[in-house]
Amino acid sequence: MEDFINEILGDDLEIVEIVDFNDFIFVFFQPKGYSNPYKDERLNLVSSSGPLKINTKTMEYEFTHIYEFYSEYGDNEIIFPKKDEVAVDWSEVLYNIKMRERFNSEDFFLLLKNYNLPLDSFDIYSINSQDTIEIEIKHDEAIDYLIEFLEKNNGNYIKKRINHFLIQLDI
Protein backbone atom coordinates (compact mmCIF):
# COMPACT_ATOMS: atom_id res chain seq x y z
CA MET A 1 0.00 0.00 0.00
CA GLU A 2 2.83 2.40 0.85
CA ASP A 3 4.31 1.97 -2.66
CA PHE A 4 0.89 2.80 -4.14
CA ILE A 5 0.65 5.92 -1.95
CA ASN A 6 4.19 7.06 -2.83
CA GLU A 7 3.41 6.60 -6.51
CA ILE A 8 0.38 8.90 -6.15
CA LEU A 9 2.26 11.50 -4.08
CA GLY A 10 5.29 11.57 -6.37
CA ASP A 11 8.83 12.62 -5.54
CA ASP A 12 8.09 16.03 -4.02
CA LEU A 13 5.79 14.92 -1.19
CA GLU A 14 6.34 12.68 1.83
CA ILE A 15 3.96 10.79 4.09
CA VAL A 16 3.46 12.27 7.57
CA GLU A 17 0.77 9.92 8.86
CA ILE A 18 -1.61 7.26 7.58
CA VAL A 19 -5.00 6.81 9.29
CA ASP A 20 -7.24 3.83 8.54
CA PHE A 21 -10.86 4.83 9.14
CA ASN A 22 -13.87 2.75 8.10
CA ASP A 23 -13.33 1.81 4.45
CA PHE A 24 -10.89 4.63 3.78
CA ILE A 25 -7.26 5.40 4.33
CA PHE A 26 -6.35 9.04 4.85
CA VAL A 27 -2.79 9.92 3.96
CA PHE A 28 -1.48 13.12 5.48
CA PHE A 29 1.52 14.46 3.62
CA GLN A 30 3.82 17.44 3.30
CA PRO A 31 6.46 18.70 0.88
CA LYS A 32 9.81 17.01 1.42
CA GLY A 33 12.03 19.15 3.60
CA TYR A 34 9.08 21.11 5.08
CA SER A 35 9.84 22.71 8.41
CA ASN A 36 6.92 23.37 10.75
CA PRO A 37 7.64 26.85 12.10
CA TYR A 38 4.81 26.77 14.66
CA LYS A 39 5.99 23.85 16.79
CA ASP A 40 2.49 22.41 16.61
CA GLU A 41 2.51 18.88 15.23
CA ARG A 42 -1.20 19.10 14.45
CA LEU A 43 -0.31 21.48 11.62
CA ASN A 44 1.78 18.73 10.04
CA LEU A 45 -1.34 16.63 9.55
CA VAL A 46 -3.14 18.70 6.97
CA SER A 47 -1.67 20.27 3.88
CA SER A 48 -3.34 23.14 2.11
CA SER A 49 -5.20 20.71 -0.13
CA GLY A 50 -6.20 18.24 2.58
CA PRO A 51 -5.24 14.58 2.90
CA LEU A 52 -5.25 11.96 0.19
CA LYS A 53 -8.34 9.77 0.64
CA ILE A 54 -8.16 6.17 -0.64
CA ASN A 55 -11.10 3.77 -0.76
CA THR A 56 -9.60 0.49 0.49
CA LYS A 57 -12.13 -1.64 -1.42
CA THR A 58 -11.94 0.01 -4.85
CA MET A 59 -8.49 1.66 -4.55
CA GLU A 60 -10.03 4.84 -5.97
CA TYR A 61 -8.45 7.95 -4.53
CA GLU A 62 -8.89 11.70 -4.38
CA PHE A 63 -7.13 14.66 -2.84
CA THR A 64 -9.63 16.17 -0.45
CA HIS A 65 -10.28 19.87 -0.05
CA ILE A 66 -9.15 21.11 3.35
CA TYR A 67 -12.41 22.82 4.38
CA GLU A 68 -14.62 19.93 3.30
CA PHE A 69 -12.31 17.55 5.15
CA TYR A 70 -12.39 19.59 8.36
CA SER A 71 -16.15 20.00 8.23
CA GLU A 72 -16.65 16.24 7.84
CA TYR A 73 -13.84 14.85 10.02
CA GLY A 74 -12.54 17.74 12.14
CA ASP A 75 -14.10 16.44 15.35
CA ASN A 76 -13.18 12.80 14.69
CA GLU A 77 -10.89 11.60 17.48
CA ILE A 78 -9.47 8.74 15.39
CA ILE A 79 -8.17 11.16 12.77
CA PHE A 80 -7.46 14.05 15.15
CA PRO A 81 -6.72 12.69 18.63
CA LYS A 82 -7.28 15.23 21.37
CA LYS A 83 -4.06 17.02 22.25
CA ASP A 84 -3.23 19.84 24.56
CA GLU A 85 -3.80 23.19 22.91
CA VAL A 86 -0.61 24.92 21.84
CA ALA A 87 -0.82 28.66 22.34
CA VAL A 88 -0.20 30.76 19.24
CA ASP A 89 2.65 33.22 19.60
CA TRP A 90 1.52 35.78 17.04
CA SER A 91 4.83 37.64 16.97
CA GLU A 92 6.61 34.35 16.21
CA VAL A 93 4.16 33.64 13.38
CA LEU A 94 4.87 37.06 11.85
CA TYR A 95 8.62 36.61 12.32
CA ASN A 96 8.56 33.20 10.57
CA ILE A 97 6.63 34.60 7.60
CA LYS A 98 9.18 37.38 7.17
CA MET A 99 12.11 34.96 7.52
CA ARG A 100 10.84 32.51 4.88
CA GLU A 101 9.48 35.37 2.72
CA ARG A 102 6.37 33.36 1.99
CA PHE A 103 2.86 32.80 3.33
CA ASN A 104 1.65 29.27 4.06
CA SER A 105 -2.03 28.40 4.21
CA GLU A 106 -1.53 27.60 7.92
CA ASP A 107 -0.69 31.27 8.46
CA PHE A 108 -4.24 32.26 7.51
CA PHE A 109 -5.69 29.68 9.93
CA LEU A 110 -3.45 31.08 12.66
CA LEU A 111 -4.67 34.59 11.82
CA LEU A 112 -8.24 33.46 12.48
CA LYS A 113 -7.20 31.68 15.66
CA ASN A 114 -5.22 34.68 16.90
CA TYR A 115 -8.24 36.99 16.61
CA ASN A 116 -10.73 34.37 17.81
CA LEU A 117 -12.57 34.38 14.48
CA PRO A 118 -14.54 31.33 13.34
CA LEU A 119 -12.49 28.98 11.16
CA ASP A 120 -15.11 29.33 8.43
CA SER A 121 -14.44 33.09 8.16
CA PHE A 122 -12.31 32.44 5.07
CA ASP A 123 -12.94 30.30 2.04
CA ILE A 124 -9.51 29.70 0.56
CA TYR A 125 -9.26 28.56 -3.03
CA SER A 126 -5.94 27.47 -4.44
CA ILE A 127 -5.37 28.87 -7.92
CA ASN A 128 -1.79 27.68 -8.08
CA SER A 129 -0.80 26.25 -4.74
CA GLN A 130 2.82 27.22 -5.36
CA ASP A 131 2.14 30.89 -6.14
CA THR A 132 -1.31 32.30 -5.42
CA ILE A 133 -4.39 31.73 -3.30
CA GLU A 134 -7.80 33.31 -3.47
CA ILE A 135 -9.64 34.14 -0.25
CA GLU A 136 -13.30 34.97 0.05
CA ILE A 137 -14.25 36.37 3.44
CA LYS A 138 -17.58 35.49 5.03
CA HIS A 139 -17.33 37.60 8.17
CA ASP A 140 -16.84 41.36 7.79
CA GLU A 141 -14.61 41.71 10.84
CA ALA A 142 -12.07 39.37 9.22
CA ILE A 143 -11.51 41.77 6.29
CA ASP A 144 -9.65 44.35 8.41
CA TYR A 145 -7.55 41.66 10.10
CA LEU A 146 -6.59 40.13 6.74
CA ILE A 147 -5.57 43.49 5.25
CA GLU A 148 -3.57 44.41 8.35
CA PHE A 149 -1.90 40.98 8.29
CA LEU A 150 -0.97 41.27 4.61
CA GLU A 151 0.33 44.82 4.92
CA LYS A 152 2.35 44.01 8.06
CA ASN A 153 4.10 41.27 6.06
CA ASN A 154 4.44 43.21 2.78
CA GLY A 155 1.95 40.84 1.18
CA ASN A 156 1.15 41.37 -2.47
CA TYR A 157 -2.60 41.15 -2.98
CA ILE A 158 -5.41 42.29 -5.23
CA LYS A 159 -8.76 43.17 -3.73
CA LYS A 160 -11.18 41.83 -6.35
CA ARG A 161 -14.26 42.78 -4.35
CA ILE A 162 -14.82 44.04 -0.82
CA ASN A 163 -14.63 40.49 0.54
CA HIS A 164 -12.57 38.75 -2.16
CA PHE A 165 -8.75 38.78 -2.32
CA LEU A 166 -6.14 37.32 -4.64
CA ILE A 167 -2.93 36.86 -2.63
CA GLN A 168 0.57 36.17 -3.89
CA LEU A 169 2.21 33.67 -1.51
CA ASP A 170 5.76 34.90 -2.06
CA ILE A 171 6.48 38.24 -0.39
Side-chain angles (χ1 to χ4, degrees):
M1 177 62 84
E2 194 162 325
D3 288 339
F4 176 68
I5 294 169
N6 283 324
E7 185 178 315
I8 295 167
L9 294 179
D11 294 334
D12 296 332
L13 301 172
E14 64 185 355
I15 298 169
V16 173
E17 186 173 341
I18 297 175
V19 177
D20 193 346
F21 181 69
N22 290 340
D23 293 330
F24 296 98
I25 291 177
F26 294 96
V27 181
F28 299 93
F29 58 90
Q30 66 187 14
K32 286 185 178 172
Y34 173 75
S35 173
N36 179 351
Y38 307 110
K39 298 171 185 64
D40 184 350
E41 290 306 310
R42 292 168 300 168
L43 294 177
N44 278 335
L45 281 182
V46 180
S47 70
S48 58
S49 63
L52 172 66
K53 179 180 178 181
I54 303 172
N55 184 318
T56 56
K57 293 180 179 176
T58 65
M59 299 308 284
E60 292 176 336
Y61 64 89
E62 67 175 320
F63 286 91
T64 61
H65 186 272
I66 187 66
Y67 298 105
E68 293 167 1
F69 180 78
Y70 266 133
S71 67
E72 188 169 346
Y73 299 104
D75 59 354
N76 186 300
E77 290 193 31
I78 294 171
I79 296 173
F80 295 105
K82 296 285 185 215
K83 294 186 179 181
D84 292 335
E85 188 71 20
V86 176
V88 174
D89 180 348
W90 190 237
S91 60
E92 186 176 350
V93 171
L94 297 174
Y95 174 78
N96 285 323
I97 292 168
K98 289 177 183 174
M99 290 302 293
R100 68 176 179 267
E101 298 179 346
R102 180 172 179 77
F103 293 108
N104 291 332
S105 60
E106 291 91 355
D107 298 328
F108 297 101
F109 285 117
L110 292 173
L111 169 70
L112 296 173
K113 187 173 180 178
N114 184 62
Y115 290 108
N116 295 316
L117 297 169
L119 285 180
D120 68 349
S121 294
F122 293 163
D123 276 339
I124 299 178
Y125 307 97
S126 179
I127 293 176
N128 178 338
S129 61
Q130 299 300 313
D131 300 323
T132 308
I133 61 169
E134 194 167 345
I135 294 182
E136 188 169 333
I137 302 175
K138 296 179 186 177
H139 297 91
D140 291 338
E141 63 186 319
I143 293 172
D144 294 333
Y145 291 125
L146 178 64
I147 291 171
E148 177 186 335
F149 173 65
L150 291 169
E151 290 178 353
K152 205 176 263 189
N153 287 289
N154 298 319
N156 186 7
Y157 66 94
I158 297 170
K159 191 172 183 180
K160 293 175 84 174
R161 289 189 302 279
I162 188 118
N163 67 333
H164 202 129
F165 294 78
L166 189 61
I167 301 169
Q168 199 71 30
L169 294 176
D170 290 327
I171 56 174

